[in-house]
Amino acid sequence: MTDMNKAFNLPDNYYPTPNTLIDKMIADIDTKLQFTFLEPSAGDGKIVRRLFEKYNSLYRYERNNIDIDCIEFDVNLRQILKYNFSEEREIAIRKQQEEIESKVKWDREERRITELSNIDKAKLRDLKGELLTFPEQNNFHIVHNDFLTFNTFKRYDVIIMNPPFDEGDKHLIKALEMQENGGDVICLLNAETLKNPYTNIRKHLIELLDKYKAKIQYLQGEFQTLETERKTSVEVALIKVSIPRKAKTSSIFDELQKAQKKEIEQREATELAKGDFIQNIIDQFNLEVRCTLKLIEEYEAMKPYMLRSFDKGDDVSILTLTLKYGSGTYKQSVSINKYMQSVRMKYWRVLFKNPQFTGMMTSNLQQEYYNMVDKLKDYDFSYYNIKQIQADINSKLIKGVEETILNLFDKLSEAHSWYPECQKNIHYFNGWATNKAHKINKKVIIPIHGAFSDYSWTRETFETYTVYSKMEDIEKVFNYLDSGETGEVDLHSALIRASEAGITKKIPLKYFNITLYKKGTCHIEFTNQRLLDKFNIFSCRHKNWLPPSYGKKRYSDMSNEEKTAIDEFQGKEAYEQMYNERSYYIFEISELPMLSSGDLGEKEKTDISTVNI
């Protein structure tokens, strides 16, 4: 037994941890994420002191106060530990600091400062360093005397310890059990505990360390350095375990989800709407609401057992539920009706952002309905209400889609007619009501400035966003007309691939190929002639450039005047081919599929835990 242990009557198994070894223990601690610590074999507080120093020496803007709980079995060490982090000791150190600093005096006559001696300078440095080892607030607590009998509901980010070597296995198992729901354990252990597992306790410990993939470093001579207070030649194992946080589960959610699955199975057994997109979202909405209402009911039932005090008449609960309503207004008392408004808004909002619901809505129309969310909070998120809105949107789409198609027709013909090359975009013909009629050719040219930036002028790299914004408008119109017949080609991805590969000629897109020129033009070649004809027929009919009988009579049944217009527009043979497929070419906007409920299929159904509506 050393003189120190004799002087303070300290236990024989007390081996204070040297600072160099402590630094190895705390090297991997994340000061930005780990703030609560337990030191269950604290001794006189050397590890605790080093932890406070590590955090307190950080820059102010990145410093976080840590909370350290300590346990120490020996009564004498507990007294020393208590004093080492006491306000009394901190005051004494600051007094010593002031006494030394007071020796520095300004001599006005000789205009110089009386410097401190080297001994005082060294002492002052030590005192300033020691002040870093004190908690900045009341964040140090001695909470128990025996770690093996310690029980708490508190959660610790890190349990860090140098337990008695003769009971290290029991202490480490206890620490691992406390952190089984997530957290770190850092422990110094007699290496023999792991290298010679002759007891069931040690074998169990090794199983746990394997289970948690512990990092183990064997160290020799760590307790034989000059700074070591009590030396020993024993080899130690530095063990670091990081246990991931367990995913939280809800018994309320699990119970109600099982019940809802049965309801869905029963419904789908008798209905044809299996996998219906809208119904899937409604099911998700219903599950979320049922779970939340059950939670509120449970909270209200538990409230009398969570009161702030035992004083008569005090009905304020320690734990409260709050409701975020709208954009930042918080209600302290949970109103079921206000909750329903909030959750309805969430689902209406996400519905109006989902392409499977919005379908072919123009951006203006999407925004119009998105702005209606505040009104829709008072309407249930039900199949009936969704279908009513869907019907309303479809009626508004008819006019919007017609305008979009005709606007593109004008843009490809008249809008750029001032540009010499663009004059080749159209084929003129003698129209039914005017001789200014025309249709769009298979190859068209449009100006597209800014596709090639200055830095890429010498390379075949173009600005994808500039090209995308032009091509998106054209592709949207042909999507209206196509009704989903053409296979998908992601416009944005196709342009990115071409730009990265330095391809600027005949870039294949969904309905056309494009060629980009640095002089500021884009050549478009339509690859779907049937769809281009459908586009031209629709536009020319709505401009009254084709006879009213177009598509209603065979060519042979037309008048000479009607035949002349047909000959100029497309010719007899092409007209007869069109007539045989007139259900494809002759249509009204109301006949196009505007909004679709879609079919996500079984594997794409969502639930509230992975919401991605």
Side-chain angles (χ1 to χ4, degrees):
M1 188 180 295
T2 65
D3 291 340
M4 182 194 72
N5 284 34
K6 287 179 181 179
F8 292 97
N9 194 25
L10 300 179
D12 291 340
N13 62 356
Y14 175 57
Y15 288 87
T17 317
N19 282 337
T20 53
L21 184 51
I22 297 174
D23 290 342
K24 292 177 183 178
M25 294 175 72
I26 68 176
D28 298 326
I29 286 174
D30 191 334
T31 57
K32 294 181 180 179
L33 296 175
Q34 296 174 315
F35 311 116
T36 57
F37 292 81
L38 174 66
E39 217 291 36
S41 306
D44 67 356
K46 282 188 167 51
I47 293 176
V48 176
R49 186 179 296 120
R50 212 65 171 174
L51 279 172
F52 278 127
E53 186 176 1
K54 181 183 181 76
Y55 279 77
N56 292 342
S57 60
L58 297 171
Y59 288 112
R60 288 272 176 190
Y61 68 87
E62 61 180 17
R63 184 183 302 176
N64 291 287
N65 288 322
I66 58 171
D67 180 59
I68 303 180
D69 288 350
C70 293
I71 297 173
E72 176 49 50
F73 187 80
D74 185 81
V75 64
N76 293 313
L77 282 172
R78 280 204 306 276
Q79 292 303 316
I80 296 171
L81 181 65
K82 185 177 181 180
Y83 173 73
N84 281 343
F85 297 96
S86 66
E87 185 178 357
E88 177 187 356
R89 182 166 178 269
E90 183 180 1
I91 291 171
I93 291 173
R94 292 192 183 279
K95 187 175 181 180
Q96 292 180 57
Q97 181 185 15
E98 290 172 3
E99 289 175 355
I100 295 174
E101 290 176 341
S102 67
K103 295 180 181 180
V104 179
K105 295 182 179 179
W106 172 255
D107 190 324
R108 293 178 179 237
E109 292 183 2
E110 298 187 18
R111 300 187 65 78
R112 67 182 178 82
I113 296 176
T114 303
E115 293 190 4
L116 296 173
S117 66
N118 290 334
I119 294 176
D120 283 338
K121 286 180 180 178
K123 181 65 175 175
L124 192 59
R125 280 196 303 270
D126 291 342
L127 292 172
K128 287 181 178 179
E130 201 163 351
L131 286 172
L132 289 174
T133 67
F134 284 90
E136 289 197 350
Q137 299 178 14
N138 184 27
N139 292 335
F140 168 80
H141 323 93
I142 300 174
V143 295
H144 199 58
N145 64 334
D146 184 357
F147 179 53
L148 296 179
T149 64
F150 178 62
N151 291 300
T152 182
F153 290 107
K154 187 173 180 177
R155 303 291 177 88
Y156 295 99
D157 295 326
V158 183
I159 297 177
I160 182 169
M161 59 184 179
N162 174 12
F165 283 171
D166 55 349
E167 289 192 317
D169 48 5
K170 297 177 184 176
H171 281 243
L172 182 50
I173 289 174
K174 169 82 172 182
L176 292 172
E177 289 173 348
M178 286 183 63
Q179 300 292 73
E180 65 180 354
N181 290 318
D184 286 14
V185 176
I186 303 171
C187 178
L188 276 182
L189 210 63
N190 186 334
E192 189 69 11
T193 305
L194 302 181
K195 290 186 174 183
N196 185 18
Y198 64 89
T199 66
N200 289 333
I201 292 178
R202 291 186 178 186
K203 290 175 183 176
H204 178 52
L205 173 60
I206 290 174
E207 288 175 359
L208 288 175
L209 294 177
D210 288 340
K211 173 185 175 181
Y212 294 125
K213 297 180 174 56
K215 296 178 181 179
I216 304 173
Q217 183 181 7
Y218 291 99
L219 303 170
Q220 187 72 54
E222 293 292 333
F223 282 85
Q224 292 180 311
T225 61
L226 291 175
E227 66 164 323
T228 305
E229 294 180 27
R230 189 179 179 199
K231 294 180 172 55
T232 177
S233 60
V234 68
E235 181 186 17
V236 295
L238 174 54
I239 301 166
K240 295 184 179 182
V241 181
S242 185
I243 303 175
R245 302 283 179 190
K246 283 187 178 179
K248 292 180 174 59
T249 58
S250 165
S251 58
I252 292 176
F253 176 81
D254 291 342
E255 177 186 337
L256 294 178
Q257 187 185 44
K258 289 177 184 177
Q260 188 182 68
K261 282 182 178 178
K262 288 183 179 179
E263 291 178 11
I264 293 172
E265 288 171 1
Q266 292 172 355
R267 183 185 71 223
E268 291 180 343
T270 58
E271 295 179 5
L272 297 176
K274 189 175 183 180
D276 179 84
F277 163 67
I278 292 177
Q279 187 60 58
N280 287 341
I281 299 179
I282 294 169
D283 288 340
Q284 184 165 321
F285 166 81
N286 290 336
L287 179 59
E288 178 177 350
V289 171
R290 286 171 181 167
C291 288
T292 307
L293 294 182
K294 185 70 174 176
L295 174 64
I296 295 172
E297 289 174 6
E298 286 290 320
Y299 169 75
E300 293 295 336
M302 284 294 298
K303 206 171 173 183
Y305 306 100
M306 302 184 293
L307 298 180
R308 180 176 55 185
S309 72
F310 293 102
D311 295 343
K312 188 176 181 180
D314 188 350
D315 61 351
V316 177
S317 176
I318 292 173
L319 184 66
T320 61
L321 286 181
T322 58
L323 172 69
K324 184 172 183 182
Y325 178 70
S327 57
T329 303
Y330 289 83
K331 302 290 184 181
Q332 291 302 320
S333 58
V334 177
S335 162
I336 298 295
N337 290 338
K338 289 295 184 185
Y339 160 72
M340 287 305 304
Q341 288 180 330
S342 292
V343 74
R344 284 170 186 156
M345 279 198 294
K346 180 175 77 169
Y347 277 85
W348 283 119
R349 188 176 290 120
V350 80
L351 184 67
F352 291 136
K353 280 187 173 181
N354 190 282
Q356 282 191 267
F357 180 78
T358 55
M360 296 183 177
M361 289 171 68
T362 62
S363 56
N364 289 340
L365 195 55
Q366 285 185 45
Q367 190 61 45
E368 177 185 336
Y369 276 88
Y370 191 78
N371 293 338
M372 286 176 56
V373 167
D374 190 56
K375 295 180 180 178
L376 289 171
K377 70 179 183 294
D378 293 316
Y379 293 85
D380 256 329
F381 192 77
S382 65
Y383 205 89
Y384 172 81
N385 285 335
I386 292 173
K387 285 298 184 181
Q388 289 297 304
I389 290 176
Q390 202 172 42
D392 185 55
I393 292 172
N394 273 329
S395 66
K396 291 184 179 180
L397 270 175
I398 294 174
K399 183 178 180 182
V401 171
E402 181 177 315
E403 289 177 352
T404 303
I405 295 173
L406 296 178
N407 284 342
L408 177 64
F409 185 85
D410 293 339
K411 185 181 291 186
L412 293 178
S413 54
E414 299 171 5
H416 302 308
S417 60
W418 56 270
Y419 201 87
E421 287 187 80
C422 294
Q423 293 177 6
K424 302 175 183 178
N425 288 356
I426 55 179
H427 167 76
Y428 288 100
F429 67 95
N430 288 319
W432 177 251
T434 174
N435 59 3
K436 295 181 180 179
H438 57 263
K439 67 178 183 179
I440 306 300
N441 281 325
K442 185 176 182 179
K443 295 181 180 179
V444 298
I445 300 171
I446 62 171
I448 185 166
H449 302 294
F452 294 91
S453 61
D454 294 338
Y455 70 86
S456 66
W457 186 257
T458 58
R459 297 181 295 156
E460 300 301 314
T461 303
F462 58 88
E463 298 288 349
T464 55
Y465 178 77
T466 303
V467 180
Y468 177 83
S469 60
K470 291 281 187 180
M471 297 304 110
E472 183 187 28
D473 290 340
I474 302 175
E475 187 175 282
K476 180 184 288 185
V477 166
F478 281 83
N479 280 334
Y480 291 151
L481 301 172
D482 185 41
S483 301
E485 290 188 8
T486 306
E488 281 300 319
V489 175
D490 186 84
L491 175 61
H492 190 250
S493 299
L495 292 174
I496 288 177
R497 286 195 299 270
S499 180
E500 291 177 347
I503 299 171
T504 59
K505 295 184 178 180
K506 293 191 176 297
I507 301 170
L509 301 177
K510 187 174 181 179
Y511 300 113
F512 42 81
N513 298 331
I514 63 170
T515 299
L516 302 169
Y517 291 95
K518 292 181 178 178
K519 62 182 179 179
T521 60
C522 173
H523 290 223
I524 301 173
E525 182 179 359
F526 292 98
T527 53
N528 190 326
Q529 185 63 50
R530 289 179 77 240
L531 207 55
L532 179 61
D533 290 343
K534 189 175 184 178
F535 173 61
N536 276 321
I537 291 169
F538 177 87
S539 301
C540 292
R541 284 181 65 232
H542 281 73
K543 289 178 177 291
N544 296 317
W545 292 346
L546 293 175
S549 61
Y550 186 91
K552 298 177 183 178
K553 293 182 182 178
R554 288 194 172 275
Y555 184 84
S556 57
D557 296 333
M558 288 184 170
S559 65
N560 290 334
E561 189 178 9
E562 290 172 332
K563 288 179 180 178
T564 300
I566 297 299
D567 292 341
E568 290 281 339
F569 178 66
Q570 64 188 138
K572 174 184 176 181
E573 184 178 348
Y575 177 81
E576 288 294 344
Q577 290 178 357
M578 181 282 304
Y579 183 83
N580 292 332
E581 296 182 77
R582 57 189 179 277
S583 61
Y584 174 80
Y585 291 100
I586 309 298
F587 65 94
E588 296 302 327
I589 294 297
S590 58
E591 298 170 1
L592 295 177
M594 297 298 170
L595 297 177
S596 171
S597 63
D599 185 358
L600 293 178
E602 283 298 297
K603 66 180 180 179
E604 294 185 41
K605 285 186 179 181
T606 56
D607 61 57
I608 201 66
S609 60
T610 56
V611 62
N612 186 22
I613 302 173

